[in-house]
Amino acid sequence: MQALIAILIGALILAALAYSIGRLITPLESRWPPLARLWGRRAALEEAERWCVGLRTHDRIGAAAYQQRMSGLARGQRTLPRGGRDG
């Protein structure tokens, strides 16, 4: 009975190993790990926030447009609406 359990555990480990290797070498698998994608997105949002602060500091956008853009960034939207001083 113990030998059967050991064989099953070994087979599961080998299957997991084969699956992992297969995912690594397939061309459809993304090369970016999930945390790196998350950090890249967070960095992009922070850069967009700095850009909006710079626009507001240099009086290139109005208060309403600044508030709208920052609200979008807080919701995770990197694409910001284009607009002049008021919008």
Side-chain angles (χ1 to χ4, degrees):
M1 184 67 175
Q2 291 178 351
L4 181 62
I5 293 174
I7 290 171
L8 287 176
I9 290 174
L12 286 175
I13 291 173
L14 287 176
L17 183 65
Y19 176 76
S20 295
I21 291 173
R23 284 184 50 104
L24 285 175
I25 62 174
T26 57
L28 298 178
E29 178 63 25
S30 174
R31 298 295 181 224
W32 293 94
L35 285 178
R37 275 186 260 147
L38 178 63
W39 289 333
R41 179 173 172 78
R42 185 174 297 142
L45 288 171
E46 288 174 359
E47 181 59 33
E49 182 180 355
R50 281 192 292 273
W51 180 263
C52 286
V53 170
L55 289 176
R56 183 67 183 135
T57 302
H58 296 293
D59 207 24
R60 301 253 177 138
I61 59 174
Y66 175 75
Q67 184 177 10
Q68 181 182 8
R69 289 176 180 220
M70 292 304 252
S71 294
L73 288 172
R75 290 189 302 271
Q77 299 170 348
R78 287 186 297 175
T79 56
L80 301 172
R82 301 273 181 200
R85 289 177 56 89
D86 295 323

